[in-house]
Amino acid sequence: QVQLVESGGGLVQAGGSLRLSCAASGRTFTNYVMGWFRQAPGKEREFVAAIKWGAGSTYYADSVKGRFTISRDNAKNTVYLQMNSLKPEDTAVYYCAVDRLAFRLVVTATPGAYDYWGQGTQVTVSS
């Protein structure tokens, strides 16, 4: 059974940093795009960042570009999201996800393209 478990969320002041982790078990995802999404109260789930299989090309939403960094450790089957210069508008539940297709060539920001999801971790940024 595939499980994705996020950790690292919490309460932080604006300008602070957090590092989220997502550990996968039950299957190896070396050949899949892995991504982070977030959902604030009353809003739709939105794409944050993704990292490709192979050389690990990275992709970011404009709202986090330059502040967030996604990385992966294939040996640990884990993906990370380093979040710096946090803003109150970054407050949300953050989810990691794994793409439905192996070796996808074009990374997608559409949640429906991702098959496996974690339970989410709350990130709250105070002003």
Coordinates of all heavy atoms in Angstrom, one line a residue, residues 10-108:
G10 N 4.1 23.9 10.5 CA 4.1 24.6 11.8 C 3.7 26.0 11.7 O 3.3 26.5 10.6
L11 N 3.9 26.8 12.8 CA 3.6 28.2 12.9 C 5.0 28.9 12.8 O 5.9 28.6 13.6 CB 2.9 28.5 14.2 CG 2.7 30.0 14.5 CD1 1.8 30.6 13.5 CD2 2.1 30.1 15.9
V12 N 5.0 29.9 11.9 CA 6.3 30.7 11.8 C 5.9 32.2 11.5 O 4.8 32.4 11.0 CB 7.1 30.1 10.7 CG1 6.4 30.2 9.3 CG2 8.5 30.7 10.6
Q13 N 6.8 33.1 11.9 CA 6.5 34.5 11.6 C 6.9 34.8 10.2 O 7.7 34.1 9.6 CB 7.4 35.3 12.6 CG 6.8 35.4 14.0 CD 7.6 36.4 14.9 OE1 8.7 36.7 14.6 NE2 6.9 36.9 15.8
A14 N 6.3 35.8 9.7 CA 6.6 36.3 8.3 C 8.1 36.5 8.2 O 8.7 37.1 9.1 CB 5.8 37.6 8.0
G15 N 8.7 36.1 7.1 CA 10.1 36.2 6.9 C 10.9 35.0 7.3 O 12.1 34.8 7.0
G16 N 10.2 34.1 8.0 CA 10.9 32.9 8.5 C 10.9 31.8 7.5 O 10.5 31.9 6.3
S17 N 11.4 30.6 8.0 CA 11.6 29.5 7.1 C 11.0 28.2 7.7 O 11.0 28.0 8.9 CB 13.1 29.3 6.8 OG 13.7 30.4 6.2
L18 N 10.6 27.3 6.8 CA 10.3 25.9 7.2 C 10.7 25.0 6.1 O 10.9 25.4 4.9 CB 8.7 25.8 7.3 CG 8.1 26.4 8.6 CD1 6.5 26.3 8.4 CD2 8.5 25.7 9.8
R19 N 11.0 23.7 6.5 CA 11.3 22.7 5.5 C 10.3 21.5 5.7 O 10.3 20.9 6.7 CB 12.7 22.2 5.8 CG 13.2 21.2 4.7 CD 14.5 20.6 5.1 NE 15.2 19.9 4.0 CZ 15.9 18.8 4.1 NH1 16.1 18.3 5.3 NH2 16.5 18.3 3.1
L20 N 9.6 21.3 4.6 CA 8.7 20.2 4.6 C 9.3 19.0 4.0 O 10.1 19.1 3.1 CB 7.4 20.6 3.8 CG 6.7 21.8 4.1 CD1 5.4 22.0 3.3 CD2 6.3 21.9 5.6
S21 N 8.9 17.8 4.5 CA 9.4 16.5 4.0 C 8.2 15.7 3.7 O 7.1 15.8 4.3 CB 10.2 15.8 5.0 OG 11.4 16.5 5.4
C22 N 8.4 14.8 2.7 CA 7.3 13.9 2.3 C 8.0 12.5 2.0 O 8.7 12.4 1.0 CB 6.6 14.4 1.0 SG 5.4 13.2 0.3
A23 N 7.7 11.6 2.9 CA 8.3 10.3 2.8 C 7.3 9.3 2.1 O 6.2 9.2 2.6 CB 8.8 9.8 4.1
A24 N 7.8 8.7 1.1 CA 6.9 7.7 0.4 C 7.3 6.3 0.8 O 8.4 6.0 1.0 CB 7.0 7.9 -1.1
S25 N 6.3 5.5 0.9 CA 6.5 4.0 1.2 C 5.5 3.2 0.4 O 4.5 3.7 -0.1 CB 6.3 3.8 2.7 OG 5.0 4.1 3.1
G26 N 5.9 1.9 0.2 CA 5.0 1.0 -0.5 C 5.4 0.9 -2.0 O 4.9 0.0 -2.7
R27 N 6.2 1.8 -2.5 CA 6.5 1.8 -3.9 C 7.7 2.8 -4.1 O 7.8 3.8 -3.3 CB 5.3 2.3 -4.7 CG 5.5 2.2 -6.2 CD 4.1 2.5 -6.8 NE 4.3 2.7 -8.2 CZ 3.3 3.0 -9.1 NH1 2.1 3.1 -8.6 NH2 3.5 3.2 -10.3
T28 N 8.5 2.6 -5.1 CA 9.6 3.6 -5.4 C 9.1 4.5 -6.5 O 8.5 4.1 -7.5 CB 10.8 2.8 -5.9 OG1 11.2 1.9 -4.8 CG2 11.9 3.7 -6.2
F29 N 9.4 5.8 -6.3 CA 8.9 6.8 -7.3 C 10.0 7.5 -8.0 O 9.9 8.7 -8.4 CB 8.0 7.8 -6.5 CG 6.7 7.2 -6.0 CD1 6.5 7.1 -4.7 CD2 5.8 6.8 -6.9 CE1 5.3 6.5 -4.2 CE2 4.5 6.3 -6.5 CZ 4.3 6.1 -5.1
T30 N 11.1 6.8 -8.1 CA 12.3 7.4 -8.8 C 12.0 7.9 -10.2 O 12.5 9.0 -10.6 CB 13.4 6.4 -8.9 OG1 13.7 5.9 -7.6 CG2 14.7 7.0 -9.5
N31 N 11.1 7.3 -10.9 CA 10.8 7.6 -12.3 C 9.5 8.5 -12.5 O 9.0 8.5 -13.6 CB 10.7 6.3 -13.1 CG 12.0 5.5 -13.1 OD1 13.1 6.1 -13.1 ND2 11.8 4.2 -13.0
Y32 N 9.1 9.1 -11.4 CA 7.9 9.9 -11.4 C 8.2 11.3 -11.0 O 9.0 11.6 -10.1 CB 6.9 9.3 -10.5 CG 6.3 8.0 -10.9 CD1 7.0 6.8 -10.7 CD2 5.0 7.9 -11.5 CE1 6.5 5.6 -11.1 CE2 4.5 6.7 -11.9 CZ 5.3 5.5 -11.7 OH 4.8 4.3 -12.1
V33 N 7.4 12.2 -11.6 CA 7.4 13.6 -11.1 C 6.7 13.6 -9.7 O 5.7 13.0 -9.5 CB 6.6 14.5 -12.0 CG1 6.4 15.9 -11.4 CG2 7.2 14.6 -13.4
M34 N 7.3 14.3 -8.8 CA 6.7 14.5 -7.5 C 6.5 16.0 -7.3 O 7.3 16.8 -7.7 CB 7.6 14.0 -6.4 CG 7.9 12.5 -6.5 SD 8.8 11.7 -5.2 CE 7.6 11.7 -3.9
G35 N 5.4 16.3 -6.6 CA 5.0 17.7 -6.5 C 4.5 18.1 -5.1 O 4.2 17.3 -4.3
W36 N 4.4 19.4 -4.9 CA 3.8 20.0 -3.7 C 2.7 20.9 -4.2 O 2.8 21.7 -5.1 CB 4.8 20.8 -2.9 CG 5.8 20.0 -2.2 CD1 7.1 19.6 -2.6 CD2 5.6 19.4 -0.9 NE1 7.7 18.9 -1.6 CE2 6.8 18.7 -0.5 CE3 4.6 19.4 0.1 CZ2 7.0 18.1 0.7 CZ3 4.8 18.7 1.3 CH2 6.0 18.1 1.5
F37 N 1.6 20.8 -3.5 CA 0.4 21.6 -3.7 C 0.0 22.2 -2.3 O 0.5 21.8 -1.3 CB -0.8 20.8 -4.3 CG -0.6 20.3 -5.7 CD1 0.3 19.3 -5.9 CD2 -1.2 21.0 -6.7 CE1 0.5 18.8 -7.2 CE2 -1.0 20.5 -8.0 CZ -0.2 19.4 -8.3
R38 N -0.8 23.2 -2.4 CA -1.3 23.8 -1.1 C -2.8 24.2 -1.3 O -3.2 24.5 -2.4 CB -0.5 24.9 -0.7 CG -0.5 26.2 -1.6 CD 0.5 27.2 -1.1 NE 0.4 28.4 -1.9 CZ 1.3 29.4 -1.8 NH1 2.3 29.4 -0.9 NH2 1.2 30.5 -2.6
Q39 N -3.5 24.2 -0.2 CA -4.9 24.6 -0.2 C -5.2 25.5 1.0 O -5.0 25.0 2.2 CB -5.8 23.4 -0.2 CG -7.3 23.8 -0.5 CD -8.1 22.6 -0.8 OE1 -7.7 21.4 -0.7 NE2 -9.2 22.8 -1.4
A40 N -5.6 26.7 0.8 CA -6.0 27.6 1.9 C -7.5 27.5 2.1 O -8.2 27.1 1.2 CB -5.6 29.1 1.5
P41 N -8.0 27.9 3.2 CA -9.4 27.8 3.5 C -10.2 28.6 2.5 O -9.9 29.7 2.2 CB -9.5 28.4 4.9 CG -8.2 28.2 5.5 CD -7.2 28.3 4.4
G42 N -11.2 27.9 1.9 CA -12.1 28.5 0.9 C -11.5 28.7 -0.4 O -12.2 29.3 -1.3
K43 N -10.3 28.1 -0.7 CA -9.7 28.2 -2.0 C -9.5 26.9 -2.6 O -9.4 25.9 -1.8 CB -8.4 29.0 -1.9 CG -8.5 30.5 -1.4 CD -7.2 31.2 -1.5 CE -7.4 32.7 -1.2 NZ -6.1 33.4 -1.4
E44 N -9.2 26.8 -3.9 CA -8.9 25.6 -4.5 C -7.5 25.2 -4.3 O -6.6 26.0 -4.0 CB -9.2 25.7 -6.0 CG -10.6 25.9 -6.4 CD -10.9 25.8 -7.9 OE1 -9.9 25.8 -8.6 OE2 -12.0 25.8 -8.3
R45 N -7.2 23.9 -4.4 CA -5.9 23.4 -4.3 C -5.0 24.0 -5.4 O -5.5 23.9 -6.6 CB -5.9 21.9 -4.3 CG -4.5 21.3 -3.9 CD -4.7 19.8 -3.6 NE -5.6 19.5 -2.5 CZ -5.7 18.3 -1.9 NH1 -5.1 17.3 -2.4 NH2 -6.6 18.2 -0.9
E46 N -3.8 24.5 -5.1 CA -3.0 25.1 -6.1 C -1.6 24.5 -6.2 O -1.1 24.0 -5.1 CB -2.9 26.6 -5.9 CG -2.2 27.0 -4.7 CD -2.0 28.5 -4.6 OE1 -2.4 29.3 -5.5 OE2 -1.4 29.0 -3.6
F47 N -1.0 24.5 -7.3 CA 0.3 24.0 -7.5 C 1.3 24.9 -6.9 O 1.2 26.1 -6.9 CB 0.6 23.9 -9.0 CG 2.0 23.6 -9.4 CD1 2.5 22.3 -9.4 CD2 2.8 24.6 -9.8 CE1 3.8 22.0 -9.7 CE2 4.2 24.3 -10.2 CZ 4.6 23.0 -10.1
V48 N 2.3 24.3 -6.3 CA 3.4 25.0 -5.6 C 4.7 24.8 -6.4 O 5.4 25.7 -6.8 CB 3.6 24.7 -4.1 CG1 4.8 25.4 -3.5 CG2 2.3 25.0 -3.4
A49 N 5.1 23.5 -6.5 CA 6.4 23.1 -7.1 C 6.3 21.7 -7.5 O 5.6 20.9 -7.0 CB 7.5 23.4 -6.1
A50 N 7.2 21.3 -8.4 CA 7.4 19.9 -8.8 C 8.8 19.7 -9.2 O 9.5 20.6 -9.6 CB 6.4 19.6 -10.0
I51 N 9.2 18.4 -9.1 CA 10.5 18.0 -9.5 C 10.4 16.8 -10.3 O 9.7 15.8 -10.0 CB 11.4 17.8 -8.2 CG1 12.9 17.5 -8.7 CG2 10.9 16.7 -7.3 CD1 13.9 17.6 -7.5
K52 N 11.2 16.8 -11.4 CA 11.1 15.7 -12.4 C 11.9 14.5 -12.0 O 12.8 14.7 -11.2 CB 11.5 16.3 -13.8 CG 10.8 15.7 -15.0 CD 11.2 16.5 -16.2 CE 10.6 15.8 -17.4 NZ 11.0 16.6 -18.7
W53 N 11.7 13.4 -12.7 CA 12.5 12.2 -12.5 C 13.9 12.5 -13.3 O 14.0 13.5 -13.9 CB 11.8 11.0 -13.1 CG 11.2 11.4 -14.5 CD1 10.0 11.9 -14.7 CD2 11.9 11.2 -15.8 NE1 9.8 12.1 -16.0 CE2 10.9 11.7 -16.7 CE3 13.1 10.8 -16.2 CZ2 11.2 11.7 -18.1 CZ3 13.4 10.8 -17.5 CH2 12.4 11.3 -18.5
G54 N 14.8 11.6 -13.2 CA 16.1 11.7 -13.9 C 16.9 12.9 -13.3 O 17.3 12.9 -12.1
A55 N 17.2 13.8 -14.1 CA 18.1 14.9 -13.7 C 17.4 15.9 -12.6 O 18.1 16.7 -12.0 CB 18.6 15.8 -14.9
G56 N 16.2 15.7 -12.4 CA 15.5 16.4 -11.4 C 15.2 17.9 -11.7 O 15.4 18.8 -10.8
S57 N 14.8 18.2 -12.9 CA 14.4 19.6 -13.2 C 13.3 20.0 -12.3 O 12.4 19.2 -11.9 CB 14.0 19.7 -14.7 OG 15.0 19.2 -15.6
T58 N 13.3 21.3 -12.0 CA 12.3 21.8 -11.0 C 11.4 22.9 -11.6 O 11.9 23.6 -12.6 CB 13.0 22.4 -9.8 OG1 14.0 23.4 -10.2 CG2 13.8 21.3 -9.0
Y59 N 10.3 23.0 -11.1 CA 9.2 23.9 -11.6 C 8.5 24.5 -10.4 O 8.3 23.8 -9.4 CB 8.3 23.1 -12.5 CG 8.9 22.4 -13.6 CD1 9.5 21.1 -13.4 CD2 9.1 22.9 -14.9 CE1 10.1 20.4 -14.4 CE2 9.7 22.2 -15.9 CZ 10.2 21.0 -15.6 OH 10.9 20.3 -16.6
Y60 N 8.2 25.8 -10.6 CA 7.6 26.5 -9.4 C 6.5 27.4 -9.9 O 6.5 28.0 -11.0 CB 8.7 27.4 -8.8 CG 9.8 26.7 -8.2 CD1 11.0 26.5 -8.9 CD2 9.7 26.1 -6.9 CE1 12.0 25.7 -8.4 CE2 10.8 25.4 -6.4 CZ 11.9 25.2 -7.1 OH 13.0 24.5 -6.6
A61 N 5.5 27.6 -9.0 CA 4.5 28.6 -9.2 C 5.2 30.0 -9.1 O 6.1 30.2 -8.3 CB 3.4 28.5 -8.2
D62 N 4.6 31.0 -9.9 CA 5.2 32.3 -9.8 C 5.2 32.9 -8.4 O 6.1 33.6 -8.0 CB 4.5 33.2 -10.8 CG 4.7 32.9 -12.2 OD1 5.8 32.2 -12.5 OD2 3.9 33.3 -13.1
S63 N 4.2 32.5 -7.6 CA 4.1 33.1 -6.3 C 5.2 32.7 -5.3 O 5.4 33.3 -4.3 CB 2.7 32.8 -5.7 OG 2.5 31.4 -5.7
V64 N 5.9 31.6 -5.6 CA 6.9 31.1 -4.7 C 8.3 31.1 -5.3 O 9.3 30.7 -4.6 CB 6.5 29.6 -4.2 CG1 5.1 29.6 -3.6 CG2 6.7 28.6 -5.3
K65 N 8.4 31.4 -6.6 CA 9.7 31.3 -7.3 C 10.7 32.3 -6.6 O 10.4 33.4 -6.3 CB 9.5 31.8 -8.7 CG 10.5 31.2 -9.7 CD 10.1 31.5 -11.1 CE 8.9 30.7 -11.5 NZ 8.5 30.9 -13.0
G66 N 11.8 31.7 -6.3 CA 12.9 32.5 -5.7 C 12.8 32.4 -4.2 O 13.8 32.8 -3.5
R67 N 11.8 31.8 -3.6 CA 11.6 31.7 -2.2 C 11.6 30.2 -1.7 O 12.1 29.9 -0.7 CB 10.4 32.4 -1.7 CG 10.3 33.9 -1.9 CD 9.1 34.5 -1.2 NE 7.8 34.0 -1.7 CZ 6.9 33.4 -1.0 NH1 7.1 33.3 0.3 NH2 5.8 33.0 -1.5
F68 N 11.0 29.4 -2.6 CA 10.9 28.0 -2.2 C 11.8 27.1 -3.1 O 12.1 27.5 -4.3 CB 9.5 27.5 -2.5 CG 8.4 28.0 -1.5 CD1 8.7 29.0 -0.7 CD2 7.1 27.5 -1.5 CE1 7.7 29.5 0.2 CE2 6.2 27.9 -0.7 CZ 6.5 29.0 0.2
T69 N 12.3 26.0 -2.6 CA 13.2 25.1 -3.3 C 12.7 23.7 -3.1 O 12.6 23.2 -1.9 CB 14.6 25.2 -2.9 OG1 15.1 26.6 -3.0 CG2 15.5 24.3 -3.7
I70 N 12.4 23.0 -4.2 CA 12.0 21.6 -4.1 C 13.2 20.7 -4.4 O 14.0 21.1 -5.3 CB 10.8 21.3 -5.0 CG1 10.3 19.8 -4.8 CG2 11.2 21.5 -6.5 CD1 9.0 19.5 -5.6
S71 N 13.3 19.6 -3.7 CA 14.4 18.7 -3.9 C 13.9 17.3 -3.6 O 12.9 17.1 -3.0 CB 15.7 19.0 -3.1 OG 15.3 19.0 -1.7
R72 N 14.7 16.3 -4.0 CA 14.3 14.9 -3.8 C 15.5 14.1 -3.5 O 16.6 14.3 -4.0 CB 13.5 14.3 -4.9 CG 14.3 14.1 -6.2 CD 13.4 13.8 -7.4 NE 12.7 12.5 -7.2 CZ 11.7 12.2 -8.0 NH1 11.2 13.0 -9.0 NH2 11.1 11.0 -7.8
D73 N 15.3 13.1 -2.6 CA 16.4 12.1 -2.3 C 15.8 10.7 -2.7 O 15.0 10.1 -2.0 CB 16.7 12.1 -0.8 CG 17.9 11.2 -0.4 OD1 18.1 10.2 -1.2 OD2 18.5 11.5 0.6
N74 N 16.2 10.2 -3.9 CA 15.6 9.0 -4.4 C 16.0 7.8 -3.5 O 15.2 6.8 -3.4 CB 16.1 8.8 -5.8 CG 15.4 9.7 -6.8 OD1 14.3 10.2 -6.6 ND2 16.1 10.1 -7.9
A75 N 17.1 7.8 -2.9 CA 17.5 6.7 -2.0 C 16.6 6.6 -0.8 O 16.4 5.5 -0.3 CB 19.0 6.9 -1.6
K76 N 16.0 7.7 -0.4 CA 15.1 7.8 0.7 C 13.7 7.8 0.3 O 12.8 7.8 1.1 CB 15.4 8.9 1.6 CG 16.8 8.9 2.3 CD 17.0 10.1 3.2 CE 18.4 10.0 3.9 NZ 18.6 11.1 4.8
N77 N 13.4 7.9 -1.0 CA 12.1 8.0 -1.6 C 11.3 9.2 -0.9 O 10.2 9.1 -0.5 CB 11.3 6.7 -1.3 CG 10.4 6.3 -2.5 OD1 10.6 6.7 -3.6 ND2 9.5 5.4 -2.2
T78 N 12.0 10.3 -0.8 CA 11.6 11.4 -0.1 C 11.7 12.7 -1.0 O 12.7 12.8 -1.7 CB 12.3 11.6 1.2 OG1 12.1 10.4 2.0 CG2 11.8 12.8 2.0
V79 N 10.7 13.6 -0.9 CA 10.8 14.9 -1.5 C 10.7 16.0 -0.4 O 10.0 15.8 0.6 CB 9.7 15.0 -2.6 CG1 8.3 15.0 -2.0 CG2 9.9 16.3 -3.4
Y80 N 11.4 17.1 -0.7 CA 11.4 18.1 0.3 C 11.0 19.5 -0.3 O 11.0 19.6 -1.5 CB 12.9 18.3 0.8 CG 13.5 17.1 1.4 CD1 14.3 16.3 0.6 CD2 13.3 16.7 2.7 CE1 14.9 15.1 1.1 CE2 13.9 15.6 3.2 CZ 14.7 14.8 2.4 OH 15.3 13.7 2.9
L81 N 10.5 20.4 0.6 CA 10.2 21.7 0.1 C 10.8 22.7 1.1 O 10.3 22.8 2.3 CB 8.7 21.9 0.0 CG 8.3 23.3 -0.6 CD1 8.7 23.3 -2.1 CD2 6.8 23.5 -0.5
Q82 N 11.8 23.3 0.8 CA 12.4 24.4 1.6 C 11.7 25.7 1.3 O 11.7 26.2 0.2 CB 13.9 24.5 1.3 CG 14.6 25.6 2.1 CD 14.7 25.3 3.6 OE1 14.9 24.2 4.0 NE2 14.4 26.3 4.4
M83 N 11.2 26.3 2.4 CA 10.4 27.5 2.2 C 11.1 28.6 3.0 O 11.1 28.5 4.2 CB 9.0 27.3 2.7 CG 8.3 26.1 2.0 SD 6.5 26.0 2.5 CE 6.7 25.6 4.2
N84 N 11.5 29.6 2.3 CA 12.2 30.8 2.9 C 11.3 32.0 2.7 O 10.5 32.1 1.8 CB 13.6 31.0 2.3 CG 14.5 29.8 2.6 OD1 14.4 29.1 3.6 ND2 15.4 29.5 1.7
S85 N 11.6 33.1 3.4 CA 10.9 34.4 3.3 C 9.4 34.2 3.2 O 8.7 34.7 2.4 CB 11.4 35.1 2.0 OG 12.8 35.3 2.0
L86 N 8.9 33.4 4.2 CA 7.5 33.1 4.2 C 6.7 34.3 4.4 O 7.0 35.2 5.1 CB 7.2 32.0 5.2 CG 7.6 30.6 4.8 CD1 7.8 29.7 6.0 CD2 6.6 30.0 3.9
K87 N 5.5 34.3 3.8 CA 4.5 35.4 3.8 C 3.2 34.9 4.4 O 2.9 33.7 4.3 CB 4.3 36.0 2.4 CG 5.5 36.4 1.7 CD 5.2 36.9 0.3 CE 6.4 37.3 -0.5 NZ 6.1 37.7 -1.9
P88 N 2.4 35.7 5.0 CA 1.1 35.3 5.5 C 0.3 34.6 4.4 O -0.5 33.7 4.7 CB 0.5 36.6 6.0 CG 1.6 37.5 6.4 CD 2.7 37.1 5.4
E89 N 0.4 35.0 3.2 CA -0.4 34.4 2.1 C 0.1 33.0 1.7 O -0.5 32.3 0.9 CB -0.4 35.3 0.9 CG 1.0 35.8 0.4 CD 1.3 37.2 0.9 OE1 1.1 37.4 2.1 OE2 1.9 37.9 0.1
D90 N 1.2 32.6 2.3 CA 1.6 31.2 2.2 C 0.9 30.2 3.1 O 1.1 29.0 3.0 CB 3.1 31.1 2.4 CG 4.0 31.8 1.4 OD1 3.6 31.7 0.2 OD2 5.0 32.5 1.8
T91 N 0.1 30.8 4.0 CA -0.6 29.9 5.0 C -1.6 29.0 4.2 O -2.4 29.5 3.4 CB -1.4 30.8 6.0 OG1 -0.5 31.6 6.7 CG2 -2.3 30.0 6.9
A92 N -1.5 27.7 4.5 CA -2.3 26.7 3.8 C -1.9 25.3 4.4 O -0.9 25.2 5.1 CB -2.0 26.8 2.3
V93 N -2.7 24.4 4.0 CA -2.3 23.0 4.1 C -1.5 22.6 2.9 O -2.0 22.8 1.8 CB -3.5 22.0 4.3 CG1 -3.1 20.6 4.5 CG2 -4.4 22.5 5.5
Y94 N -0.3 22.0 3.1 CA 0.6 21.6 2.1 C 0.5 20.1 1.9 O 0.6 19.4 2.8 CB 2.0 22.1 2.4 CG 2.2 23.6 2.1 CD1 1.6 24.5 3.0 CD2 2.9 24.0 1.0 CE1 1.7 25.9 2.7 CE2 3.1 25.4 0.8 CZ 2.5 26.3 1.7 OH 2.6 27.6 1.4
Y95 N 0.4 19.7 0.6 CA 0.3 18.3 0.3 C 1.4 17.9 -0.7 O 1.7 18.7 -1.7 CB -1.1 18.0 -0.4 CG -2.3 18.3 0.4 CD1 -2.9 19.6 0.3 CD2 -2.9 17.3 1.2 CE1 -4.0 19.9 1.1 CE2 -4.0 17.6 1.9 CZ -4.6 18.9 1.9 OH -5.7 19.2 2.6
C96 N 1.9 16.8 -0.5 CA 2.8 16.2 -1.6 C 2.0 15.2 -2.4 O 1.0 14.7 -2.0 CB 4.1 15.6 -1.0 SG 3.8 14.1 -0.1
A97 N 2.5 15.0 -3.6 CA 1.7 14.2 -4.6 C 2.7 13.6 -5.6 O 3.8 14.1 -5.8 CB 0.7 15.0 -5.3
V98 N 2.3 12.5 -6.1 CA 3.1 11.8 -7.1 C 2.3 11.7 -8.4 O 1.1 11.3 -8.4 CB 3.5 10.3 -6.7 CG1 4.3 9.6 -7.7 CG2 4.2 10.4 -5.3
D99 N 3.0 11.9 -9.5 CA 2.3 11.9 -10.8 C 1.8 10.5 -11.2 O 2.3 9.5 -10.7 CB 3.4 12.3 -11.9 CG 2.8 12.7 -13.2 OD1 1.7 12.2 -13.6 OD2 3.5 13.5 -13.9
R100 N 0.7 10.5 -12.0 CA 0.1 9.3 -12.4 C 1.0 8.5 -13.3 O 1.0 7.3 -13.4 CB -1.2 9.6 -13.0 CG -1.9 8.4 -13.7 CD -3.3 8.8 -14.2 NE -4.1 9.3 -13.1 CZ -4.8 10.4 -13.2 NH1 -4.9 11.1 -14.3 NH2 -5.6 10.8 -12.2
L101 N 1.7 9.2 -14.2 CA 2.5 8.6 -15.3 C 4.0 8.6 -15.0 O 4.6 9.6 -14.6 CB 2.3 9.3 -16.6 CG 0.8 9.3 -17.1 CD1 0.8 10.1 -18.4 CD2 0.4 7.9 -17.4
A102 N 4.7 7.5 -15.2 CA 6.1 7.5 -15.1 C 6.7 8.1 -16.4 O 6.1 8.1 -17.4 CB 6.6 6.0 -15.0
F103 N 7.9 8.7 -16.2 CA 8.6 9.3 -17.3 C 7.8 10.4 -18.0 O 8.0 10.6 -19.2 CB 9.1 8.3 -18.2 CG 10.0 7.2 -17.6 CD1 9.5 5.9 -17.5 CD2 11.2 7.5 -17.1 CE1 10.3 5.0 -16.9 CE2 12.1 6.6 -16.5 CZ 11.6 5.3 -16.4
R104 N 6.9 11.1 -17.3 CA 6.2 12.2 -18.0 C 7.2 13.2 -18.5 O 8.1 13.7 -17.7 CB 5.2 12.8 -17.1 CG 4.3 13.8 -17.8 CD 3.4 14.6 -16.8 NE 2.4 13.8 -16.2 CZ 1.2 13.6 -16.7 NH1 0.9 14.1 -17.8 NH2 0.3 12.9 -16.0
L105 N 7.1 13.6 -19.7 CA 8.0 14.6 -20.3 C 7.7 16.0 -19.9 O 8.6 16.8 -19.8 CB 8.1 14.4 -21.8 CG 8.6 13.1 -22.3 CD1 8.6 13.0 -23.8 CD2 10.1 12.9 -21.8
V106 N 6.5 16.4 -19.9 CA 6.1 17.7 -19.6 C 5.4 17.8 -18.2 O 4.3 17.2 -18.1 CB 5.1 18.3 -20.7 CG1 4.7 19.7 -20.4 CG2 5.8 18.2 -22.0
V107 N 6.0 18.4 -17.3 CA 5.4 18.5 -15.9 C 4.1 19.3 -16.0 O 4.0 20.3 -16.6 CB 6.4 19.2 -15.0 CG1 5.8 19.5 -13.6 CG2 7.6 18.3 -14.8
T108 N 3.1 18.8 -15.3 CA 1.8 19.5 -15.2 C 1.5 20.0 -13.8 O 1.9 19.4 -12.8 CB 0.7 18.5 -15.7 OG1 -0.6 19.2 -15.5 CG2 0.7 17.3 -14.8

